[in-house]
Amino acid sequence: MNLFRKIILSFILTILVSITIISITSNIMINNRFKNYLEEEQQIKFDKIYEEINNYYIDENLSLNQMNLMHYSMAEDIDLTIKDTEENIIYTTKNSPKNGMGRMHMGRNSMHANKYGLGNYVEKLYPLVYDSNAVGSLTIGYIDNSYITDGAVIFLDTMTQSLSISGLFAIAIGIIISLVLSNSLTKPLMVITETANKIRHGDLKAKSNVCTNTKEIIELSNTINYLSNTLSDQDKIRKQYASDISHELRTPLTTLKSHLEAMLDKVLEPSDEHLEILMTEINRLSKLIDDLKDSFVKEEYSMDLNLIEVDITEELMSIIKTYEPLYEEKGFSIEFNFKEDILILIDIDRFKQIMNNLLSNSLRYLNKDGKVIVDLLRNDDSILLSVSDNGIGIKANDLPYVFNRFFRVDTSRNKSTGGTGLGLPIVKSIVEAHNGSITINSEYGKGTNITIKLPITKKNHL
Ligand code: ADP
């Protein structure tokens, strides 16, 4: 069953059940309360009649004003019988004990009896008392449900009718609300499903534009749109990646091929100089292949990290020492002032790879009077390692992409500097394989700062 039908059916079912429960309970309660009230009223009336008749009987010296009694009988639809202490009937509104004039007046009540059950004829006995002595008795005969008068019947019928009418209104309103609600829920969901299906069939440009104010549906729609954007980006990256790899591999291979062909055709001498060119291209090819493999280190090698406990300060100092001559050769300087020993668990070869990439990047992109500062900061459970330079910096619009494989800020510039666009992705992969994180800040023309956070994991914590 689809959501649309489910919502409507649930709504109607809920309304029907609630209305039935409300109708039944209110009907039963109102009927009972009302009947009790009428019954009590009838009893009060009978008690009053008894009291008045008792008083007449005494006032008239144990005789009766028969017209008065007849009046009570007619007005209240009851039979009245007065007996003396010897059980002799002194007066009765009945012609015979069970089938008298009184029954004739009671025709009105017999009619109601059709609707609320057939009433029984009952009698109620009251002692007539004078000076605390019994002087006779009064019997009031009536139909037991005669208290349900025309007015009462109309009242109860009106109650039932108004409950039924309001019930019907509630159902109609409930159906309208459920239609609007289910429409407002299912329509955007259908749009989202349609978009998801389009994405599934390869249309990565598909977007779901839903018109709703339901928070969860808006979130779902945004998630689907985010998904399609990500897939589309991934698709672009994949295509770009494939074309970059083939381009990067083709360039040194073409050079190698043309040189070797020329040598085979004896056009080119296999001299040291020419062989050196071939060697450079072969080196470039192997670096590219190594970089390619390393750029997937997180995905492929995170389980294979060779973690050993090292003093990271000492390791940093020795790496920086190897770079010092390279920097000085170009008139640049490199600074590291941290002294405290910090023992951390790390794959030291991978860590060297991180530093090689960062320090060779800075070296590559420094200007005149270039300077690199390496900083180390120790927190409770992590170290913060930062490499800052005052080099050419990176434009703000290029910055978000520097961790993408093969991204190079300026391709022609990188050709001359020998960059492959794999250095920072490799650094990021290694850092993340160590459960760390990396951030880059750069200002174009002023310099770049890269900060790496690595957890200090002790040997006994593994
Ligand atoms: P590459 O091997 O080409 O340097 P990277 O992934 O290491 O590739 O860097 C990506 C891009 O970021 C480079 O093309 C370079 O322009 C820029 N970049 C990286 N480090 C720096 C830096 N310290 N100063 C300026 N630009 C940098």
Side-chain angles (χ1 to χ4, degrees):
M1 192 190 292
N2 64 27
L3 187 64
F4 186 78
R5 280 194 193 156
K6 221 170 186 172
I7 293 174
I8 292 181
L9 269 183
S10 323
F11 241 80
I12 293 174
L13 211 72
T14 314
I15 292 168
L16 276 179
V17 171
S18 340
I19 284 177
T20 314
I21 292 171
I22 291 171
S23 305
I24 291 173
T25 48
S26 56
N27 236 328
I28 291 173
M29 286 178 74
I30 290 173
N31 263 329
N32 284 351
R33 190 68 204 94
F34 190 60
K35 280 180 185 165
N36 283 345
Y37 164 76
L38 292 176
E39 242 171 2
E40 280 164 18
E41 283 294 295
Q42 192 184 48
Q43 280 317 307
I44 292 170
K45 215 183 294 165
F46 287 172
D47 290 347
K48 216 166 149 198
I49 290 171
Y50 157 65
E51 211 175 296
E52 285 176 12
I53 289 177
N54 197 39
N55 289 343
Y56 282 138
Y57 195 60
I58 308 305
D59 289 351
E60 305 279 325
N61 277 335
L62 305 185
S63 81
L64 285 159
N65 179 342
Q66 297 198 357
M67 278 314 285
N68 254 339
L69 293 176
M70 187 58 101
H71 165 74
Y72 280 129
S73 167
M74 300 275 282
E76 301 300 336
D77 249 353
I78 50 176
D79 284 335
L80 292 172
T81 304
I82 306 252
K83 291 180 187 163
D84 61 14
T85 46
E86 308 291 306
E87 288 290 305
N88 297 318
I89 295 173
I90 297 169
Y91 173 77
T92 182
T93 55
K94 298 192 269 184
N95 280 348
S96 70
K98 286 260 164 202
N99 206 358
M101 280 286 287
R103 299 292 286 156
M104 298 282 284
H105 326 139
M106 287 170 204
R108 188 155 56 98
N109 288 325
S110 309
M111 233 167 61
H112 309 147
N114 287 340
K115 193 158 181 166
Y116 289 92
L118 196 63
N120 295 316
Y121 181 78
V122 288
E123 288 185 334
K124 217 167 179 186
L125 191 69
Y126 294 88
L128 294 172
V129 181
Y130 180 48
D131 266 352
S132 311
N133 294 323
V135 287
S137 66
L138 165 71
T139 307
I140 299 178
Y142 61 98
I143 303 289
D144 60 0
N145 65 358
S146 64
Y147 56 83
I148 304 175
T149 59
D150 283 349
V153 170
I154 291 169
F155 173 77
L156 289 174
D157 283 354
T158 315
M159 265 322 288
T160 315
Q161 266 173 19
S162 59
L163 273 174
S164 318
I165 291 170
S166 43
L168 284 176
F169 266 111
I171 290 175
I173 292 169
I175 290 174
I176 293 169
I177 292 176
S178 65
L179 276 172
V180 174
L181 185 82
S182 54
N183 217 26
S184 78
L185 283 179
T186 50
K187 243 190 180 155
L189 283 177
M190 274 157 70
V191 173
I192 293 171
T193 314
E194 207 176 300
T195 313
N197 277 331
K198 278 187 191 164
I199 296 171
R200 201 179 72 175
H201 291 115
D203 179 3
L204 300 179
K205 285 198 177 75
K207 294 272 169 305
S208 86
N209 283 318
V210 291
C211 184
T212 177
N213 52 9
T214 313
K215 197 173 149 242
E216 288 79 0
I217 295 182
I218 295 173
E219 273 174 15
L220 182 64
S221 167
N222 289 344
T223 309
I224 286 285
N225 287 343
Y226 178 78
L227 206 72
S228 82
N229 278 339
T230 315
L231 284 174
S232 166
D233 286 352
Q234 289 294 323
D235 197 42
K236 272 188 223 149
I237 290 170
R238 199 166 43 86
K239 285 176 185 154
Q240 182 65 37
Y241 197 44
S243 99
D244 282 350
I245 291 177
S246 62
H247 178 260
E248 292 299 324
L249 291 174
R250 201 181 305 120
T251 318
L253 279 175
T254 313
T255 316
L256 280 173
K257 193 173 172 226
S258 57
H259 275 73
L260 284 171
E261 273 171 358
M263 282 179 197
L264 285 172
D265 294 345
K266 312 275 186 244
V267 181
L268 206 67
E269 283 275 305
S271 63
D272 282 358
E273 189 196 340
H274 292 140
L275 288 174
E276 193 67 38
I277 295 174
L278 297 186
M279 199 58 202
T280 313
E281 288 306 319
I282 288 170
N283 284 340
R284 210 161 102 83
L285 251 178
S286 13
K287 182 180 180 314
L288 184 71
I289 289 162
D290 282 347
D291 279 2
L292 261 175
K293 189 189 79 184
D294 288 342
S295 71
F296 289 99
V297 71
K298 182 170 180 257
E299 291 90 331
E300 289 176 17
Y301 297 113
S302 57
M303 295 300 166
D304 277 352
L305 286 179
N306 180 23
L307 295 173
I308 48 166
E309 198 166 47
V310 294
D311 178 353
I312 202 72
T313 316
E314 204 180 292
E315 291 297 335
L316 263 176
M317 284 201 295
S318 92
I319 297 168
I320 288 166
K321 266 213 167 71
T322 59
Y323 270 85
E324 253 164 6
L326 294 173
Y327 272 69
E328 277 162 11
E329 196 179 288
K330 291 191 172 181
F332 304 145
S333 67
I334 186 162
E335 232 178 68
F336 177 61
N337 296 321
F338 197 78
K339 295 271 179 303
E340 192 192 331
D341 292 344
I342 304 174
L343 291 177
I344 75 169
L345 270 187
I346 204 160
D347 183 325
I348 194 63
D349 290 334
R350 297 283 177 201
F351 179 72
K352 282 181 184 158
Q353 225 177 331
I354 292 177
M355 289 314 293
N356 284 340
N357 273 298
L358 297 185
L359 293 178
S360 57
N361 266 358
S362 290
L363 182 65
R364 232 181 269 162
Y365 305 116
L366 280 178
N367 285 322
K368 207 168 150 282
D369 297 327
K371 184 175 181 181
V372 171
I373 301 172
V374 180
D375 257 331
L376 190 60
L377 200 88
R378 185 203 173 121
N379 286 333
D380 283 349
D381 54 0
S382 59
I383 57 157
L384 285 179
L385 167 68
S386 81
V387 177
S388 313
D389 64 55
N390 60 352
I392 60 171
I394 303 165
K395 285 184 186 152
N397 54 344
D398 286 326
L399 204 55
Y401 307 104
V402 292
F403 292 115
N404 290 354
R405 289 182 187 113
F406 291 117
F407 178 82
R408 282 169 299 183
V409 168
D410 178 348
T411 327
S412 58
R413 184 182 83 190
N414 274 268
K415 269 258 151 62
S416 61
T417 52
T420 57
L422 287 169
L424 289 179
I426 290 171
V427 171
K428 189 169 188 259
S429 292
I430 299 173
V431 169
E432 287 177 353
H434 282 85
N435 293 323
S437 58
I438 181 166
T439 47
I440 182 163
N441 289 299
S442 188
E443 209 175 320
Y444 189 56
K446 289 214 163 153
T448 305
N449 164 275
I450 292 180
T451 303
I452 290 168
K453 186 177 178 183
L454 287 171
I456 303 179
T457 321
K458 294 272 159 52
K459 217 169 201 164
N460 49 4
H461 285 146
L462 281 182

